[in-house]
Amino acid sequence: MIGCQDVLRELSNYIDLEVTEELRRQIEEHLRACHNCTVLVSTTRKTLSLVADSRILELPGDVSQRLMARLAAQWS
Amino acid sequence: MARASDAELVGRARSGDRECFAHLVMRYQRTVFHIAQGILANPADAEEVLQESFLKAFQHLSEFRGEAQFRTWLVQIAINEARMRVRKYRAKLHDSIDERPEDDERFQPRDLRDWDPSPEERVAGEEMARLLERAMQALPRSYREVFLLRDVENLSTEEAAEALGISVSATKTRLLRARLMMREYLAPHFQPRWHRRLLQRWIGARGTI
Protein backbone atom coordinates (compact mmCIF):
# COMPACT_ATOMS: atom_id res chain seq x y z
CA MET A 1 0.00 0.00 0.00
CA ILE A 2 1.26 3.47 -0.78
CA GLY A 3 0.56 6.57 1.30
CA CYS A 4 -0.03 10.29 0.74
CA GLN A 5 3.71 11.10 0.81
CA ASP A 6 4.33 8.56 -1.99
CA VAL A 7 1.58 10.15 -4.09
CA LEU A 8 3.06 13.58 -3.43
CA ARG A 9 6.52 12.39 -4.47
CA GLU A 10 5.21 10.79 -7.68
CA LEU A 11 2.64 13.48 -8.50
CA SER A 12 4.51 15.00 -11.46
CA ASN A 13 5.46 11.63 -12.91
CA TYR A 14 1.87 10.41 -12.53
CA ILE A 15 0.46 13.50 -14.30
CA ASP A 16 3.08 13.18 -17.06
CA LEU A 17 2.23 9.45 -17.48
CA GLU A 18 5.78 8.58 -16.51
CA VAL A 19 5.05 5.92 -13.88
CA THR A 20 4.99 2.16 -14.32
CA GLU A 21 1.66 0.43 -14.81
CA GLU A 22 1.94 -1.08 -11.32
CA LEU A 23 2.64 2.28 -9.64
CA ARG A 24 -0.20 3.91 -11.57
CA ARG A 25 -2.57 1.21 -10.32
CA GLN A 26 -1.41 1.72 -6.73
CA ILE A 27 -1.76 5.50 -6.96
CA GLU A 28 -5.27 5.20 -8.37
CA GLU A 29 -6.24 2.78 -5.63
CA HIS A 30 -4.99 5.31 -3.08
CA LEU A 31 -6.84 8.15 -4.82
CA ARG A 32 -10.15 6.28 -4.61
CA ALA A 33 -9.84 6.31 -0.81
CA CYS A 34 -8.10 9.66 -0.23
CA HIS A 35 -9.94 12.92 -0.78
CA ASN A 36 -6.91 15.17 -0.15
CA CYS A 37 -4.73 13.41 -2.72
CA THR A 38 -7.59 13.42 -5.25
CA VAL A 39 -7.89 17.20 -4.81
CA LEU A 40 -4.12 17.59 -5.07
CA VAL A 41 -3.99 15.69 -8.39
CA SER A 42 -7.04 17.44 -9.80
CA THR A 43 -6.00 21.00 -8.88
CA THR A 44 -2.43 20.44 -10.10
CA ARG A 45 -3.87 19.29 -13.45
CA LYS A 46 -6.10 22.38 -13.56
CA THR A 47 -3.07 24.58 -12.85
CA LEU A 48 -1.20 23.07 -15.79
CA SER A 49 -4.19 23.33 -18.08
CA LEU A 50 -4.60 27.04 -17.23
CA VAL A 51 -0.93 27.60 -18.07
CA ALA A 52 -1.31 25.69 -21.35
CA ASP A 53 -4.40 27.71 -22.35
CA SER A 54 -3.02 31.08 -21.34
CA ARG A 55 -2.04 34.00 -23.55
CA ILE A 56 1.26 33.94 -21.71
CA LEU A 57 2.63 32.58 -24.99
CA GLU A 58 1.98 35.65 -27.11
CA LEU A 59 4.84 37.89 -28.20
CA PRO A 60 4.10 41.52 -27.29
CA GLY A 61 3.84 44.38 -29.80
CA ASP A 62 6.52 44.80 -32.44
CA VAL A 63 9.24 42.87 -30.62
CA SER A 64 9.58 40.60 -33.62
CA GLN A 65 10.09 43.45 -36.11
CA ARG A 66 12.76 45.03 -33.91
CA LEU A 67 14.56 41.68 -33.65
CA MET A 68 14.61 41.22 -37.43
CA ALA A 69 15.76 44.83 -37.87
CA ARG A 70 18.67 44.27 -35.42
CA LEU A 71 19.72 41.12 -37.27
CA ALA A 72 19.46 42.89 -40.62
CA ALA A 73 21.62 45.75 -39.30
CA GLN A 74 24.21 43.25 -38.13
CA TRP A 75 24.24 41.52 -41.52
CA SER A 76 24.46 44.64 -43.64
CA MET B 1 10.92 26.47 -46.28
CA ALA B 2 8.61 26.94 -43.31
CA ARG B 3 8.24 23.17 -43.16
CA ALA B 4 11.95 22.40 -43.29
CA SER B 5 13.39 20.69 -40.22
CA ASP B 6 15.63 22.60 -37.81
CA ALA B 7 18.61 20.52 -38.94
CA GLU B 8 18.02 21.45 -42.62
CA LEU B 9 17.63 25.15 -41.79
CA VAL B 10 20.73 25.13 -39.57
CA GLY B 11 22.75 23.38 -42.28
CA ARG B 12 21.82 25.97 -44.88
CA ALA B 13 22.20 28.90 -42.48
CA ARG B 14 25.72 27.68 -41.72
CA SER B 15 26.61 27.98 -45.35
CA GLY B 16 25.51 31.60 -45.25
CA ASP B 17 21.80 31.37 -46.09
CA ARG B 18 20.37 34.13 -43.90
CA GLU B 19 16.82 33.49 -44.97
CA CYS B 20 17.08 30.05 -43.39
CA PHE B 21 18.33 31.59 -40.17
CA ALA B 22 15.41 34.05 -40.29
CA HIS B 23 13.06 31.02 -40.40
CA LEU B 24 14.68 29.67 -37.25
CA VAL B 25 14.21 33.08 -35.65
CA MET B 26 10.51 33.08 -36.52
CA ARG B 27 10.17 29.57 -35.17
CA TYR B 28 11.79 30.19 -31.78
CA GLN B 29 11.51 33.90 -31.00
CA ARG B 30 8.50 33.41 -28.72
CA THR B 31 10.22 30.63 -26.79
CA VAL B 32 13.38 32.70 -26.25
CA PHE B 33 11.42 35.82 -25.30
CA HIS B 34 9.22 34.02 -22.77
CA ILE B 35 12.12 32.25 -21.13
CA ALA B 36 13.97 35.56 -20.78
CA GLN B 37 10.84 37.33 -19.53
CA GLY B 38 10.22 34.52 -17.04
CA ILE B 39 13.72 34.79 -15.63
CA LEU B 40 14.05 38.58 -15.66
CA ALA B 41 10.43 39.72 -15.16
CA ASN B 42 11.08 42.75 -17.32
CA PRO B 43 9.95 42.99 -20.97
CA ALA B 44 12.68 45.48 -21.97
CA ASP B 45 15.45 43.24 -20.59
CA ALA B 46 13.78 40.18 -22.10
CA GLU B 47 13.82 41.88 -25.51
CA GLU B 48 17.54 42.61 -25.20
CA VAL B 49 18.19 38.99 -24.26
CA LEU B 50 16.10 37.92 -27.25
CA GLN B 51 18.21 40.00 -29.64
CA GLU B 52 21.54 39.07 -28.06
CA SER B 53 20.65 35.36 -28.06
CA PHE B 54 19.90 35.24 -31.78
CA LEU B 55 22.93 37.36 -32.63
CA LYS B 56 25.13 34.99 -30.61
CA ALA B 57 23.46 31.93 -32.10
CA PHE B 58 24.20 33.25 -35.60
CA GLN B 59 27.79 34.15 -34.76
CA HIS B 60 28.48 30.76 -33.20
CA LEU B 61 26.45 28.60 -35.55
CA SER B 62 29.60 26.87 -36.78
CA GLU B 63 30.24 25.66 -33.19
CA PHE B 64 26.80 24.07 -32.91
CA ARG B 65 27.17 20.32 -32.97
CA GLY B 66 24.42 18.37 -34.64
CA GLU B 67 23.99 15.84 -31.80
CA ALA B 68 22.07 18.35 -29.68
CA GLN B 69 18.82 19.84 -30.88
CA PHE B 70 19.03 23.39 -32.16
CA ARG B 71 16.20 24.44 -29.83
CA THR B 72 18.04 23.12 -26.75
CA TRP B 73 21.25 24.87 -27.79
CA LEU B 74 19.41 28.15 -28.40
CA VAL B 75 17.55 27.91 -25.07
CA GLN B 76 20.90 27.34 -23.37
CA ILE B 77 22.25 30.55 -24.90
CA ALA B 78 19.13 32.48 -23.82
CA ILE B 79 19.30 31.15 -20.26
CA ASN B 80 22.96 32.11 -19.97
CA GLU B 81 22.27 35.59 -21.32
CA ALA B 82 19.37 36.08 -18.89
CA ARG B 83 21.36 34.73 -15.93
CA MET B 84 24.23 37.07 -16.74
CA ARG B 85 21.84 39.99 -16.45
CA VAL B 86 20.47 38.70 -13.15
CA ARG B 87 24.05 38.45 -11.85
CA LYS B 88 24.80 41.98 -13.01
CA TYR B 89 21.77 43.38 -11.16
CA ARG B 90 22.45 41.31 -8.06
CA ALA B 91 26.08 42.44 -7.97
CA LYS B 92 24.88 46.03 -8.02
CA LEU B 93 22.67 45.28 -5.04
CA HIS B 94 25.54 43.51 -3.24
CA ASP B 95 23.27 40.52 -3.09
CA SER B 96 24.22 36.86 -3.30
CA ILE B 97 24.89 35.85 -6.88
CA ASP B 98 23.26 32.46 -7.09
CA GLU B 99 20.12 31.22 -5.58
CA ARG B 100 20.44 27.62 -4.47
CA PRO B 101 17.23 26.12 -3.22
CA GLU B 102 17.57 22.96 -1.23
CA ASP B 103 16.46 20.21 -3.54
CA ASP B 104 15.93 17.79 -0.70
CA GLU B 105 13.76 20.20 1.24
CA ARG B 106 10.17 18.94 1.31
CA PHE B 107 7.35 21.08 0.08
CA GLN B 108 4.04 20.25 1.69
CA PRO B 109 0.84 21.41 0.02
CA ARG B 110 -1.34 23.36 2.44
CA ASP B 111 -4.42 24.40 0.51
CA LEU B 112 -6.44 21.25 -0.14
CA ARG B 113 -9.78 22.68 -1.20
CA ASP B 114 -10.88 21.68 -4.68
CA TRP B 115 -11.40 24.65 -7.00
CA ASP B 116 -12.47 25.36 -10.55
CA PRO B 117 -11.94 28.40 -12.70
CA SER B 118 -15.32 29.56 -13.98
CA PRO B 119 -15.88 29.64 -17.78
CA GLU B 120 -15.70 33.46 -17.55
CA GLU B 121 -12.35 33.27 -15.77
CA ARG B 122 -11.01 30.87 -18.38
CA VAL B 123 -11.81 33.25 -21.23
CA ALA B 124 -10.60 36.38 -19.38
CA GLY B 125 -7.31 36.02 -21.22
CA GLU B 126 -5.37 39.09 -20.17
CA GLU B 127 -6.33 38.83 -16.54
CA MET B 128 -5.54 35.14 -16.38
CA ALA B 129 -2.19 35.69 -18.12
CA ARG B 130 -1.30 38.37 -15.53
CA LEU B 131 -2.27 36.09 -12.65
CA LEU B 132 -0.13 33.27 -14.05
CA GLU B 133 2.79 35.65 -14.59
CA ARG B 134 2.56 36.73 -10.93
CA ALA B 135 2.38 33.11 -9.82
CA MET B 136 5.50 32.27 -11.86
CA GLN B 137 7.38 35.28 -10.57
CA ALA B 138 6.65 34.13 -7.02
CA LEU B 139 8.62 30.91 -7.66
CA PRO B 140 12.31 30.72 -6.71
CA ARG B 141 14.30 31.35 -9.89
CA SER B 142 15.65 27.82 -10.32
CA TYR B 143 12.12 26.36 -10.03
CA ARG B 144 10.75 29.02 -12.37
CA GLU B 145 13.32 28.12 -15.03
CA VAL B 146 12.33 24.45 -14.98
CA PHE B 147 8.62 25.28 -14.99
CA LEU B 148 9.06 27.64 -17.96
CA LEU B 149 10.93 25.09 -20.01
CA ARG B 150 8.72 22.10 -19.20
CA ASP B 151 5.21 23.45 -18.70
CA VAL B 152 5.18 26.70 -20.65
CA GLU B 153 7.49 25.82 -23.55
CA ASN B 154 6.89 22.06 -23.49
CA LEU B 155 10.49 20.93 -23.65
CA SER B 156 11.02 17.31 -22.60
CA THR B 157 12.54 16.64 -19.17
CA GLU B 158 15.81 15.59 -20.84
CA GLU B 159 15.93 18.72 -23.03
CA ALA B 160 15.20 20.97 -20.04
CA ALA B 161 17.89 19.25 -17.97
CA GLU B 162 20.43 19.69 -20.78
CA ALA B 163 19.54 23.35 -21.33
CA LEU B 164 19.80 24.10 -17.61
CA GLY B 165 22.94 22.05 -17.09
CA ILE B 166 21.40 19.96 -14.29
CA SER B 167 20.55 16.27 -13.92
CA VAL B 168 17.23 14.77 -15.03
CA SER B 169 16.46 13.88 -11.43
CA ALA B 170 17.10 17.47 -10.20
CA THR B 171 14.90 18.71 -13.06
CA LYS B 172 12.07 16.42 -11.95
CA THR B 173 12.42 17.44 -8.29
CA ARG B 174 12.33 21.14 -9.15
CA LEU B 175 9.42 20.66 -11.55
CA LEU B 176 7.35 18.94 -8.86
CA ARG B 177 8.03 21.78 -6.38
CA ALA B 178 7.29 24.40 -9.01
CA ARG B 179 3.98 22.81 -9.94
CA LEU B 180 2.94 22.47 -6.31
CA MET B 181 3.87 26.10 -5.59
CA MET B 182 1.98 27.31 -8.67
CA ARG B 183 -1.07 25.34 -7.53
CA GLU B 184 -0.79 26.77 -4.03
CA TYR B 185 -0.51 30.32 -5.36
CA LEU B 186 -3.53 29.98 -7.64
CA ALA B 187 -5.86 28.20 -5.19
CA PRO B 188 -7.08 31.30 -3.27
CA HIS B 189 -7.90 33.07 -6.55
CA PHE B 190 -10.65 30.63 -7.51
CA GLN B 191 -13.90 29.63 -5.90
CA PRO B 192 -13.95 26.27 -4.20
CA ARG B 193 -16.03 23.68 -6.05
CA TRP B 194 -18.55 23.26 -3.21
CA HIS B 195 -19.17 27.02 -3.36
CA ARG B 196 -19.88 26.89 -7.09
CA ARG B 197 -22.15 23.84 -6.74
CA LEU B 198 -24.14 25.55 -3.98
CA LEU B 199 -24.46 28.71 -6.06
CA GLN B 200 -25.67 26.75 -9.07
CA ARG B 201 -28.24 24.93 -6.94
CA TRP B 202 -29.42 28.27 -5.53
CA ILE B 203 -29.72 29.82 -8.99
CA GLY B 204 -31.51 26.68 -10.21
CA ALA B 205 -34.09 26.90 -7.41
CA ARG B 206 -34.75 30.64 -7.69
CA GLY B 207 -34.02 31.25 -11.33
CA THR B 208 -31.84 34.20 -10.22
CA ILE B 209 -29.37 35.11 -7.49
Side-chain angles (χ1 to χ4, degrees):
Chain A
M1 275 293 281
I2 63 167
C4 298
Q5 283 305 319
D6 303 303
V7 173
L8 182 60
R9 197 178 51 243
E10 295 295 337
L11 179 70
S12 256
N13 292 332
Y14 174 69
I15 287 175
D16 293 339
L17 307 175
E18 286 175 7
V19 290
T20 62
E21 186 61 23
E22 174 55 19
L23 184 55
R24 188 185 60 80
R25 196 192 56 71
Q26 288 182 16
I27 291 172
E28 281 166 6
E29 196 183 321
H30 177 89
L31 291 181
R32 276 192 290 277
C34 180
H35 175 71
N36 282 355
C37 285
T38 303
V39 168
L40 186 68
V41 170
S42 132
T43 48
T44 305
R45 280 197 173 125
K46 283 173 205 165
T47 299
L48 298 183
S49 109
L50 285 173
V51 172
D53 294 346
S54 161
R55 289 193 194 162
I56 238 173
L57 295 165
E58 284 175 13
L59 201 59
D62 41 10
V63 166
S64 182
Q65 286 95 305
R66 287 196 293 268
L67 169 61
M68 294 317 264
R70 174 99 191 265
L71 284 166
Q74 188 77 13
W75 290 338
S76 61
Chain B
M1 189 76 79
R3 286 188 179 174
S5 72
D6 285 2
E8 284 173 68
L9 292 172
V10 169
R12 292 173 63 174
R14 263 173 161 170
S15 23
D17 188 334
R18 287 168 181 172
E19 199 190 330
C20 284
F21 190 76
H23 277 284
L24 289 165
V25 173
M26 297 309 284
R27 201 170 277 182
Y28 294 118
Q29 56 181 354
R30 286 192 324 170
T31 299
V32 171
F33 180 83
H34 287 292
I35 289 169
Q37 162 72 6
I39 294 173
L40 295 159
N42 177 319
D45 286 340
E47 187 169 346
E48 276 185 41
V49 167
L50 172 73
Q51 296 185 359
E52 290 303 320
S53 300
F54 278 108
L55 284 171
K56 275 204 174 150
F58 188 76
Q59 280 162 9
H60 297 276
L61 208 53
S62 59
E63 294 162 28
F64 168 66
R65 293 189 322 215
E67 307 96 73
Q69 285 193 47
F70 175 74
R71 179 172 70 164
T72 315
W73 182 70
L74 179 66
V75 166
Q76 228 164 13
I77 295 175
I79 288 171
N80 287 338
E81 282 291 317
R83 282 176 175 172
M84 255 161 45
R85 262 155 225 267
V86 172
R87 288 198 179 95
K88 206 168 73 186
Y89 291 143
R90 291 263 172 96
K92 275 188 191 158
L93 294 168
H94 306 287
D95 202 353
S96 104
I97 285 178
D98 279 311
E99 176 188 21
R100 299 188 188 281
E102 293 298 320
D103 278 344
D104 57 356
E105 177 196 318
R106 287 193 162 186
F107 179 84
Q108 289 295 332
R110 287 179 296 272
D111 198 321
L112 286 166
R113 289 166 307 157
D114 202 359
W115 49 264
D116 257 330
S118 66
E120 304 84 61
E121 282 167 333
R122 273 193 177 274
V123 294
E126 285 300 318
E127 224 170 288
M128 183 65 79
R130 275 199 297 274
L131 173 62
L132 292 170
E133 287 274 4
R134 287 201 302 276
M136 278 202 290
Q137 288 308 324
L139 297 175
R141 185 168 53 82
S142 61
Y143 293 177
R144 190 161 72 236
E145 288 175 358
V146 174
F147 187 82
L148 272 163
L149 298 192
R150 283 286 284 109
D151 289 336
V152 179
E153 295 302 331
N154 294 317
L155 268 67
S156 71
T157 307
E158 289 71 21
E159 253 188 295
E162 194 183 335
L164 293 167
I166 57 174
S167 69
V168 166
S169 110
T171 305
K172 285 188 168 195
T173 308
R174 290 180 193 181
L175 180 65
L176 171 63
R177 303 273 159 67
R179 286 173 169 178
L180 289 170
M181 287 179 181
M182 285 290 288
R183 190 201 74 93
E184 203 79 27
Y185 187 98
L186 294 181
H189 292 85
F190 299 107
Q191 284 183 351
R193 286 191 77 164
W194 63 264
H195 190 281
R196 191 176 304 286
R197 274 201 302 270
L198 204 68
L199 197 68
Q200 274 161 359
R201 216 175 296 162
W202 176 255
I203 294 169
R206 306 224 347 201
T208 176
I209 295 181

